[in-house]
Amino acid sequence: MIPSHIRNTTGSQFASPLHITPGFSSPQSHPSSAPASRPQSWQNRFSRKSLLQNPSRRFSSYLEQQQQQQEQYERSESRLSEPIHAFDERQEDNYYALGDADEEDTTIRRPVSAVDPPSHSIFAAQQQRRQSTLSATQSHRQSLLVEPVHAIATPRPTLLFALASDDVNEVRRVLDSGEAGPNDAVGPQSALGFTIANDQLKNKMQMVKMLLAHGADTSALHYPEEEEREERSSRRGSGRLSKLLKDLDPATRYYIERADSPQTRRASALIHRSYFRPLTKVRYDLIGQDRVLEQLFRVLSMPSMAPIVVLLCGPSGHGKSLLARKFGSLLEVPTHTVNITTLQNTSDIWKSHSIAPHEPPSDKSLKEFLVENEGRRCVVVLDVREIEKTQDEKILSSLLMPWEYGRCSFEAGHRHVDVSKVIWLGTSNIGHDLVFEHQDSRPARETQLSREEYVDLMTLLRPRVSDRLGPSLLSRVTAVLPFVAFTTDEKVAIAAEALHALAGDAVSSMPPATRDMIVRTSLGSYIPSEGARSLYRAVSALLLDTI
């Protein structure tokens, strides 16, 4: 039975398009709850075109009529499970946007269907068909309201840009930040190959050292035909990398060949996974002393409960102070340097201030430094080169407890301070004459010491250190490392590096013959007991004569 409130009340049988004849429906007819088809007039009544032509009937009129229709035509209980597509007030903006889109849209549209889908309202169907067009229109309008950005995004700096800029600090920044790796391809070449082949770079040596220190692989510079010729030749090492390195200065060539050496790779593997791995970079600041670095890496890789105490001994000018100074900076830990010659008694060592020449002045004493860095990694450098000039040769006896137990007490009655993480480095000239005597006794004086020869030199040196410092103190020293004399190739590399350091950019304007003459001539002024300092002095004098 059709409810009475939906019957025709106008009196005319066909006056209303929704007229339904009352009575019982037959089994063959559609159920009373079936949706009634809407005529064309219904479509025209609520089409977007009619709504746009009558602005007053836009949103409010449409909403009122929807509400009246919902109240007038209530669904039967059999259709309560069907969803109601009610108009959401939050869609008002989209509704007006649809009308505006119709006014501006010139796309040919198909006519509106006379019969809507039974489960969707007209607005929902139209919104689905216009979704893509509406999104594009809204995006376009938003772009008109927002002020356009005319700046062009700058690409992320790459290693190629840093190398081409000839700026050592920029190369260091890119490599340290991880934005690029030392083995990244730079065009068809590796970064190392690009730097070596670029003759316009004034800071080529420094950038090559920077790349090697960060792990640049020298295997990209190898030539298979040269290596085959080397295997057939009795001159080992004469053919490797020869094509790229023949025009380089002796110092840059030395560092590249050193990085390519199997001994270098074996020494680096000792602390590859260790906290001390950054120390491998020091070999690109220090010429020579490969056996010293290898033994130092062995000491640092050994497990030990005692504090690390290393004594660097040997002739002056061979890199002891340089290695001690680089130790803390490479590990990125604070460093305190003590000059033993200024101490008067055993307690003065805790009152001494740092006198590192390449660090800003510090107003903290060694006691304050150790308290501030208690239980953390730090480096204390003890300059004991002139210990025989001190008033009391037993002045280091106050270090017995810190070196053995990793704890120290600065005054009686005060608590102990944890210094177990402190790395103690001592530099001394003890045994410098022994180093030269050992060098003269070797059958091949101008070649590098073998592992066995260096161990033998360490064995000979330790008793001499014991005579000067005392066996009680020396027994707590982890290792005594002698610095050895330079070979001829190392002297040439030192002189070439001194030329670049002293002449600066003027080196690039010098003829190659002039540069070679200065380097070769300076070797005649080399003094073994003064080491690299004598070569720097000779190069400086030759530069003045040349200018």
Side-chain angles (χ1 to χ4, degrees), residues 109-110 112 122 124-133:
R109 304 293 180 183
R110 67 176 181 177
V112 181
I122 300 173
Q126 292 172 347
Q127 185 181 19
Q128 183 177 4
R129 290 195 300 266
R130 300 294 188 183
Q131 185 175 4
S132 59
T133 304

Side-chain angles (χ1 to χ4, degrees), residues 126-150:
Q126 292 172 347
Q127 185 181 19
Q128 183 177 4
R129 290 195 300 266
R130 300 294 188 183
Q131 185 175 4
S132 59
T133 304
L134 176 60
S135 301
T137 305
Q138 290 178 342
S139 300
H140 175 67
R141 291 181 178 177
Q142 292 176 0
S143 64
L144 294 177
L145 297 176
V146 180
E147 183 179 357
V149 180
H150 301 286

Side-chain angles (χ1 to χ4, degrees), residues 240-489:
R240 302 183 72 180
L241 314 174
S242 59
K243 289 186 178 181
L244 282 175
L245 305 186
K246 62 180 181 180
D247 296 330
L248 290 178
D249 63 276
T252 306
R253 187 188 308 119
Y254 168 82
Y255 285 117
I256 295 176
E257 292 178 343
R258 186 184 201 181
D260 193 60
S261 171
Q263 176 186 341
T264 299
R265 292 192 290 269
R266 287 194 300 267
S268 300
L270 294 172
I271 56 173
H272 178 69
R273 300 183 181 276
S274 170
Y275 167 81
F276 301 100
R277 180 180 179 181
L279 291 178
T280 57
K281 299 179 180 180
V282 76
R283 62 166 54 93
Y284 305 107
D285 291 311
L286 177 67
I287 294 180
Q289 312 307 333
D290 288 329
R291 294 301 177 187
V292 176
L293 296 179
E294 179 183 1
Q295 185 62 27
L296 176 63
F297 295 164
R298 288 177 180 270
V299 171
L300 297 177
S301 63
M302 293 187 303
S304 176
M305 298 299 295
I308 299 176
V309 183
V310 179
L311 190 59
L312 310 178
C313 300
S316 177
H318 284 69
K320 300 185 302 297
S321 300
L322 177 61
L323 176 58
R325 185 174 70 247
K326 289 288 183 179
F327 212 96
S329 61
L330 290 176
L331 294 179
E332 298 181 353
V333 296
T335 303
H336 192 95
T337 303
V338 178
N339 186 3
I340 299 298
T341 58
T342 61
L343 307 182
Q344 301 295 325
N345 52 62
T346 56
S347 62
D348 285 348
I349 189 172
W350 309 120
K351 304 175 184 178
S352 60
H353 294 264
S354 182
I355 59 169
H358 299 278
E359 297 177 4
S362 175
D363 56 352
K364 296 180 180 180
S365 64
L366 178 59
K367 171 186 175 181
E368 296 170 338
F369 176 81
L370 294 176
V371 171
E372 180 181 356
N373 296 279
E374 182 178 4
R376 295 185 295 176
R377 282 292 183 193
C378 59
V379 176
V380 175
V381 179
L382 303 173
D383 188 357
V384 295
R385 287 176 292 181
E386 304 292 337
I387 191 173
E388 66 274 4
K389 296 182 180 180
T390 58
Q391 296 182 2
D392 185 5
E393 292 189 1
K394 305 298 182 181
I395 206 167
L396 296 179
S397 59
S398 57
L399 297 175
L400 291 175
M401 181 177 292
W403 287 4
E404 183 171 4
Y405 299 109
R407 295 183 177 275
C408 65
S409 179
F410 306 112
E411 298 179 11
H414 288 70
R415 72 177 184 89
H416 288 184
V417 177
D418 182 11
V419 295
S420 58
K421 298 293 184 180
V422 179
I423 302 173
W424 304 85
L425 296 177
T427 59
S428 174
N429 293 332
I430 299 176
H432 66 95
D433 53 344
L434 175 63
V435 171
F436 294 124
E437 294 174 1
H438 184 271
Q439 180 75 5
D440 294 338
S441 63
R442 296 178 59 232
R445 298 177 52 187
E446 294 301 325
T447 60
Q448 191 179 75
L449 272 71
S450 64
R451 169 69 183 163
E452 293 75 13
E453 290 175 326
Y454 187 77
V455 172
D456 180 63
L457 179 60
M458 287 193 300
T459 305
L460 296 175
L461 178 62
R462 197 169 183 94
R464 297 201 180 191
V465 177
S466 179
D467 293 341
R468 299 288 296 276
L469 301 181
S472 178
L473 188 66
L474 184 62
S475 62
R476 293 164 172 83
V477 174
T478 308
V480 177
L481 305 181
F483 277 58
V484 300
F486 295 123
T487 64
T488 301
D489 291 340

Side-chain angles (χ1 to χ4, degrees), residues 26-195:
S26 62
Q28 289 80 11
S29 62
H30 295 287
S32 60
S33 61
S37 62
R38 298 172 180 175
Q40 184 67 26
S41 60
W42 183 281
Q43 299 291 341
N44 296 335
R45 186 180 180 185
F46 293 102
S47 65
R48 285 182 298 174
K49 182 177 180 181
S50 62
L51 291 175
L52 292 173
Q53 292 175 353
N54 300 279
S56 62
R57 295 173 54 195
R58 275 189 171 181
F59 178 77
S60 60
S61 176
Y62 178 81
L63 186 59
E64 292 175 1
Q65 294 177 12
Q66 287 287 90
Q67 185 175 4
Q68 293 176 2
Q69 176 188 355
Q70 195 171 23
E71 294 176 355
Q72 183 179 2
Y73 299 99
E74 295 181 355
R75 298 184 304 171
S76 61
E77 295 180 357
S78 62
R79 302 182 64 187
L80 289 178
S81 60
E82 297 180 10
I84 299 177
H85 297 279
F87 187 85
D88 191 353
E89 293 182 1
R90 292 174 296 182
Q91 296 177 346
E92 180 179 358
D93 295 337
N94 293 340
Y95 177 80
Y96 283 118
L98 278 172
D100 297 337
D102 280 353
E103 293 178 349
E104 298 180 2
D105 193 6
T106 58
T107 307
I108 300 176
R109 304 293 180 183
R110 67 176 181 177
V112 181
S113 174
V115 180
D116 285 350
S119 61
H120 296 278
S121 66
I122 300 173
F123 175 75
Q126 292 172 347
Q127 185 181 19
Q128 183 177 4
R129 290 195 300 266
R130 300 294 188 183
Q131 185 175 4
S132 59
T133 304
L134 176 60
S135 301
T137 305
Q138 290 178 342
S139 300
H140 175 67
R141 291 181 178 177
Q142 292 176 0
S143 64
L144 294 177
L145 297 176
V146 180
E147 183 179 357
V149 180
H150 301 286
I152 301 176
T154 304
R156 189 184 70 174
T158 62
L159 189 57
L160 172 61
F161 297 155
L163 294 172
S165 66
D166 202 9
D167 188 347
V168 179
N169 293 328
E170 180 64 15
V171 175
R172 180 185 294 107
R173 188 195 66 80
V174 171
L175 293 175
D176 290 343
S177 64
E179 296 178 3
N183 295 306
D184 289 356
V186 179
Q189 299 173 293
S190 64
L192 185 59
F194 170 82
T195 307

